[in-house]
Amino acid sequence: MTSQVSSPAEQTDGTDETVVGAQRKPAGAKDVRRLDRVIIRFAGDSGDGMQLTGDRFTSETASFGNDLSTLPNFPAEIRAPAGTLPGVSSFQLHFADHDILTPGDAPDVLVAMNPAALKANVGDLPRGAEIIVNTDEFTKRAMQKVGYDTSPLEDGSLEGYHLHPVPLTTLTVEALKDFGLSRKEAERSKNMFALGLLSWMYHRPTEGTERFLRSKFAKKPDIAAANIAAFRAGWNFGETTEDFAVSYEVAPAATAFPPGTYRNISGNLALSYGLIAASRQADLPLFLGSYPITPASDILHELSRHKNFGVRTFQAEDEIAGIGAALGAAFGGSLAVTTTSGPGVALKSETIGLAVSLELPLLVVDIQRGGPSTGLPTKTEQADLLQAMYGRNGEAPVPVLAPRTPADCFGTALEAARIALTYRTPVFLLSDGYLANGSEPWRIPEIDELPDLTVQFAHGPNHTADDGTEVFWPYKRDPHTLARPWAVPGTPGLEHRIGGIEKQDGTGNISYDPANHDFMVRTRQAKVDGIDVPDLEVDDPDGARTLVLGWGSTYGPVTAAVRRLRTAGQEIAQAHLRHLNPFPRNLGAVLERYDKVVVPEMNLGQLATLIRAKYLVDAQSYNQVNGMPFKAEQLATVLKEVIDG
């Protein structure tokens, strides 16, 4: 969905829900209260359609013009045990009339489709939050399955919340009684009933959802009609029931964005579009060699739809074959990409080392997840940084980049392609599950805003031999970038040896000479060290003595925490790294300016280890490895303790 806004950005915090006004309706009508932000969480069984429900509410919210941030959270199993705590799937959405950065710390509204969903999520709710429960699922057996001895709807344990008991299943089946569906088929639409109710509560547009349902079930028009009927029934229920006396408005975030055309986008989708844009700007075909793995598979799915842009996708039989095909495509003159997650990187490491030796451009996209081994496939983590830096045999340096937000995945893909193509090297792009599945508004750039990535292939001899003949040296380097020529196979006169054994400088012939090996190792390192990256920008309006340094997806929570502290009168500086190898050249000077440096990471201190080793700075780690992103309030508390300590 796209929307037009035309006002300068607003840097407000959005840390507390605020009622900013109320409208009185005519007698008999319901009140409308205006809020500046809301956090909603949909939760139910993994088969209840919570991700679809959240996606639709998000799309309509984006089209309405709110700023937003989302956090999908679902089990690793394809169909987790129904009614159990491990089987709960949830989708959290934070939307506001101003600039926001995170999916929110605590939901204002919980929609719980069964007892497991309630029990798994009620602990995250602040007192006074609204809880909408599907009472039809609160049977004795279902409650016992999750450890409820008595019904939480009746035992007073929810007295601190605004409880709305709604028989969602019964109401949905009743609304669809004329559609000729079985009860089981009708019950599947209860998520659309819930979506309709929430759409009424928060004045969300409805046309897009109805259009989506007609398209999704185009081959099953009766199912499409039933889902639309359930959606409308949920809306009408909110309008007519006495249990919901108030609805809420969250105005569009008209002042939160620079002028432009916006759409809601997830990290994996933005990354896919960035790769396509990079191939067009480089005038090269895009080749993806990949093996499906959560949470990277969406990139393979998306790129496979764009053959019209010269994209070729290859779903290989395993991770090794995927990167092998990609490296072959790089040798053949394509913008080559392989996508994976942590365990797949381990399998690809030998071929990444081969790409380092061959000095060919290759993008290695790692959508990080919880590990080790299979670990937590659907949860987020930042624990592959050291693997990306050092996880190969021998001295095999590789540039490493990390996007900061879902939308930033687009620009980071372009930057990774620039480095790979300019310096003839494999490049790591470290996203993670939080960014991959989360979403936010993205301003669609104009074509003339994109970088020129045009590549010059080798076309003829580049060296004069001792006897005066003109020859082609495949390892004769550009004096500025140290990149070797990119010679497409089949070009007359440019035949050269290829393989993983050490090459002789210049000629590319096999060489076992110790001095040559030392020279080639140091040259490859110098090439990576010499990559031109922008200086690190520091946000420090007050001359603070404490710096919080982040990388990757911690940007949102860290920035929200910094805003809270500054609002409370604390002085704190913030900087965030996109380039992790090489580091920005001014990083050392930046670190020296501060008495205290704090590095929050979703690992056990990997960036902090690199910072301490390279710059001899006593960087303090704050770490979390529970599969979930940081909360802003959590970080604000920790950072205040550091400032005061």
Side-chain angles (χ1 to χ4, degrees), residues 103 203 213 225 236 358 404 409 428 470 475 495 513 536 572:
H203 296 228
L213 291 171
N236 293 333
L358 298 180
R404 61 176 59 182
C409 290
F428 259 103
E470 297 293 317
Y475 281 81
E495 299 85 356
D513 178 65
L536 179 65
I572 187 167

Side-chain angles (χ1 to χ4, degrees), residues 14-99:
T15 57
D16 298 303
E17 180 181 346
T18 306
V19 179
V20 295
Q23 300 176 3
R24 288 289 177 181
K25 296 296 184 182
K30 296 185 176 184
D31 290 340
V32 178
R33 299 178 65 193
R34 292 189 60 195
L35 307 175
D36 70 347
R37 71 177 192 102
V38 175
I39 302 169
I40 297 174
R41 184 181 295 176
F42 298 93
D45 268 337
S46 57
D48 283 339
M50 294 297 93
Q51 303 305 316
L52 174 62
T53 305
D55 282 340
R56 290 314 314 159
F57 196 96
T58 299
S59 293
E60 298 299 350
T61 296
S63 68
F64 188 71
N66 295 119
D67 195 10
L68 62 89
S69 180
T70 67
L71 178 62
N73 187 15
F74 43 88
E77 292 84 357
I78 294 174
R79 185 66 175 94
T84 65
L85 294 175
V88 173
S89 173
S90 68
F91 188 104
Q92 183 164 307
L93 166 69
H94 182 190
F95 62 102
D97 64 2
H98 57 270
D99 173 32

Side-chain angles (χ1 to χ4, degrees), residues 459-620:
H459 293 293
N462 61 358
H463 183 75
T464 303
D466 292 341
D467 61 2
T469 58
E470 297 293 317
V471 296
F472 175 67
W473 274 17
Y475 281 81
K476 185 170 185 176
R477 301 179 183 278
D478 181 293
H480 301 292
T481 64
L482 299 182
R484 80 175 186 91
W486 196 359
V488 176
T491 306
L494 303 190
E495 299 85 356
H496 61 282
R497 189 180 299 275
I498 204 77
I501 299 177
E502 185 63 280
K503 312 297 186 299
Q504 185 181 54
D505 177 43
T507 69
N509 296 329
I510 290 176
S511 173
Y512 295 100
D513 178 65
N516 177 80
H517 177 61
D518 183 274
F519 178 81
M520 293 295 279
V521 167
R522 294 179 186 275
T523 301
R524 288 189 288 262
Q525 183 67 58
K527 180 172 67 170
V528 172
D529 291 341
I531 291 172
D532 182 26
V533 304
D535 279 350
L536 179 65
E537 296 183 1
V538 182
D539 177 15
D540 184 3
D542 304 310
R545 303 312 307 160
T546 300
L547 171 72
V548 54
L549 179 68
W551 71 278
S553 65
T554 61
Y555 173 78
V558 168
T559 306
V562 167
R563 290 183 182 180
R564 294 186 186 206
L565 291 172
R566 289 177 180 169
T567 300
Q570 300 286 331
E571 295 180 354
I572 187 167
Q574 178 189 3
H576 207 81
L577 291 166
R578 172 190 271 186
H579 296 84
L580 297 156
N581 193 33
F583 286 130
R585 283 169 174 72
N586 68 331
L587 177 56
V590 168
L591 295 172
E592 289 177 357
R593 298 207 303 260
Y594 296 93
D595 297 333
K596 301 175 183 177
V597 177
V598 186
V599 185
E601 300 180 77
M602 292 186 292
N603 58 46
L604 294 184
Q606 297 188 15
L607 175 61
T609 297
L610 296 174
I611 293 294
R612 292 169 70 95
K614 185 174 179 64
Y615 299 104
L616 303 181
V617 170
D618 186 19
Q620 302 180 41

